[in-house]
Amino acid sequence: QVQLVESGGGLVQAGGSLRLSCAASGRTFSSYVMGWFRQAPGKEREFVSVINRSGGSTYYADSVKGRFTIYRDNARNTVYLQMISLKPEDTAVYYCAASRIWGSRSTTEYDYWGQGTQVTVSS
């Protein structure tokens, strides 16, 4: 069982930056692939980024590539999402999730989810 708690969301102007954090409970954090997803009002939850167990491999959605960076600290049981050059279309609730499957971009392949943190980007 893994419990995930996101933090770091907020209101920011376009062009600004935020860093999201996701703290995991338990001693098995390093055995999970960690992903970030987001869900805007009226839209389906979409993949943002994923990082492998060691932190050595990452993937990004095309919409955030070059602007967002995912990284993890296994000693602190935490995964981060650094977001720069934010756009109004990045506005959404951001969720972190844990999976046993590397590279998955499907919500159905993630076993544990956080409660989400709101990111709002004003124009």
Side-chain angles (χ1 to χ4, degrees), residues 5-123:
V5 179
E6 301 97 334
S7 61
L11 174 63
V12 64
Q13 289 188 334
S17 302
L18 282 174
R19 187 183 76 162
L20 305 184
S21 300
C22 172
S25 66
R27 293 178 288 179
T28 60
F29 175 73
S30 61
S31 68
Y32 286 91
V33 170
M34 297 300 297
W36 285 96
F37 290 76
R38 66 186 181 186
Q39 188 167 18
K43 295 188 176 182
E44 292 187 353
R45 193 168 297 187
E46 65 173 3
F47 168 80
V48 174
S49 182
V50 63
I51 189 167
N52 73 343
R53 295 169 181 82
S54 69
S57 293
T58 58
Y59 284 131
Y60 298 91
D62 288 343
S63 58
V64 307
K65 203 172 294 183
R67 300 187 299 120
F68 290 11
T69 302
I70 188 172
Y71 59 102
R72 66 192 295 164
D73 184 341
N74 286 342
R76 297 179 182 272
N77 283 7
T78 303
V79 61
Y80 304 93
L81 186 68
Q82 178 69 53
M83 306 184 294
I84 66 171
S85 303
L86 283 162
K87 305 175 181 179
E89 51 264 43
D90 294 319
T91 295
V93 177
Y94 282 71
Y95 299 88
C96 70
S99 174
R100 293 289 191 181
I101 303 170
W102 164 236
S104 176
R105 304 183 183 212
S106 170
T107 58
T108 60
E109 294 179 333
Y110 284 77
D111 303 308
Y112 303 102
W113 291 84
Q115 84 290 348
T117 186
Q118 176 71 47
V119 171
T120 303
V121 184
S122 63
S123 58

